[in-house]
Each structure stands twice: as structure tokens, then as C-alpha cells.
Amino acid sequence: MTQPLTLRTRTTPGGAVVELAGDLDHHTAPEVRAALPALGLRAGRQLVLDLGGVTFCDSSGITALIAARNHALTAGAGFALAAVPDQVGRIFRIVGLDQVFSCHPTAGAAWPCAPDEAGPAA
């Protein structure tokens, strides 16, 4: 059974931080995608997704993370992940997303990061 996902957003001088906790799966990933337009991202700012509380992530969750990255890059903002759990980081390494996502031990360590120059992920 899916654990509910909690999503807490805060604004910092450098941009938005979204803290996720619970299961990031096909039941809960739409919540992440739905929250993106309200973040008010702009060029030169940053979006950080703090995954420290994520207990499970499936392919739908990964797709939501890619959508968040693409949303940030479309706005001209940077994008980073923070506190990626070991099991999620392992998945990233297996599928090559460790080359796509900038990952940091904490949300605070993700500042400042320049906007990703690679363009949107597929």
C-alpha cells in the first residue's frame, strides 16, 4: 500500500525548496507535477527537491522528478536534488540519471547552483 506523500514548499532568496516525504509512485507523482506551476520559478533562481523523507520511488516518481527538472529549466532556473535516499540514488546510478541530476547531501548544500546547461531530459 502506498504511503501518503507530503509535499512542503518553502521559498528562499535563491529559489524554491520542495520537501517530499513518503512514497513517490504512480499514486502520488501527480501531486508533485501539479505543484510545479505554483512555484513561480524564474531565470537565475533555483528549484531544489529535498528527497530526504522519500521512502519509495518508482518509475512514475522518477518521471515526476524529470518533469520538475524540465519545468525549472524551461523557466531558466537551476535544478538540484538534495538528501537523495540510498535506494533512490542506486536507481539513478543504474539508469544513468546520476549524470542528469545534480545531487547534494542537503538542501542548503545545493545553493548556489548554476542553471543546468544540458537542456530538458527526455
Side-chain angles (χ1 to χ4, degrees), residues 7-11 16-19 35 39:
L7 187 144
R8 193 182 96 174
T9 302
R10 60 187 165 93
T11 303
V17 176
V18 179
E19 298 172 357
L39 295 176

Side-chain angles (χ1 to χ4, degrees), residues 40-103:
L41 300 176
R42 20 180 243 252
R45 303 288 294 252
Q46 173 112 337
L47 170 59
V48 175
L49 295 186
D50 185 331
L51 306 183
V54 171
T55 53
F56 174 79
C57 183
D58 70 5
S59 60
S60 297
I62 290 171
T63 300
L65 298 176
I66 292 170
R69 177 182 178 270
N70 291 347
H71 181 75
L73 297 179
T74 297
F79 180 78
L81 298 176
V84 177
D86 289 340
Q87 72 274 18
V88 177
R90 182 175 177 272
I91 293 167
F92 289 172
R93 287 187 299 281
I94 289 169
V95 299
L97 287 173
D98 60 330
Q99 302 299 308
V100 174
F101 293 132
S102 174
C103 298

